[in-house]
Amino acid sequence: MKGRLPQALVNTILRGEEPRNRIARWSRWFPARPAVADDRFQGPGDPYPRHWREFPQPWPGPGPADPADPAVRSQLRDGLAGLPARWRDVVRQRDIEGLAPAEVSERLGITAAQQRAMLNRGRALLRERLARLLAPGRDR
């Protein structure tokens, strides 16, 4: 067995993936899907293709969506806790701690592209969960 590559590494190389690319593995568990339905945008025959047909309605102001409200804070905490660990780390460091992208990449030992992908996917998943919590009667 000495001198042979582990089968997982061989499979990764055969698929053409970067061995350190954790995003490729995560993307199989969370298939790509748009954050907003395509019918919300103007089509090719409309005056402004790919622009909003109708702008999204804002979330309610003070009251049920007030971040100072303990119930909303609890929902935010639960939403963050539901993210995969690496996505949660990226979202927390970028959006809560306010760190620069390069600093987050360096701290977590990931590339800039991986950091962007994790941040975007984490934000999309969190946004989807919070939209259901904050406006349950609305289809987003």
Side-chain angles (χ1 to χ4, degrees):
M1 207 80 172
K2 197 173 189 182
R4 287 189 58 190
L5 291 174
Q7 188 61 43
L9 183 58
V10 171
N11 291 342
T12 300
I13 293 168
L14 290 174
R15 283 191 304 267
E17 296 175 3
E18 163 86 31
R20 289 187 53 202
N21 186 353
R22 295 180 187 103
I23 299 297
R25 291 187 295 256
W26 279 107
S27 66
R28 286 189 210 99
W29 293 348
F30 296 95
R33 62 189 166 117
V36 178
D38 285 337
D39 63 351
R40 305 271 311 267
F41 299 98
Q42 295 185 25
D46 292 321
Y48 300 103
R50 301 189 64 198
H51 288 257
W52 288 103
R53 283 190 192 282
E54 184 178 308
F55 285 104
Q57 296 297 315
W59 281 348
D66 184 6
D69 181 6
V72 172
R73 292 182 72 80
S74 171
Q75 291 171 345
L76 286 169
R77 243 188 316 282
D78 292 347
L80 273 172
L83 294 177
R86 296 291 270 183
W87 295 9
R88 183 176 51 245
D89 292 343
V90 171
V91 170
R92 181 176 287 133
Q93 290 181 26
R94 286 292 311 279
D95 293 341
I96 297 173
E97 296 174 18
L99 298 178
E103 192 173 355
V104 173
S105 296
E106 184 179 325
R107 278 185 170 190
L108 297 177
I110 57 178
T111 66
Q114 289 172 325
Q115 183 268 146
R116 278 191 307 274
M118 287 182 194
L119 180 65
N120 290 333
R121 290 177 181 165
R123 283 176 175 170
L125 190 58
L126 189 59
R127 185 181 315 118
E128 179 183 310
R129 290 178 179 169
L130 291 176
R132 282 193 304 249
L133 290 171
L134 296 176
R138 255 198 193 138
D139 180 25
R140 287 204 188 273

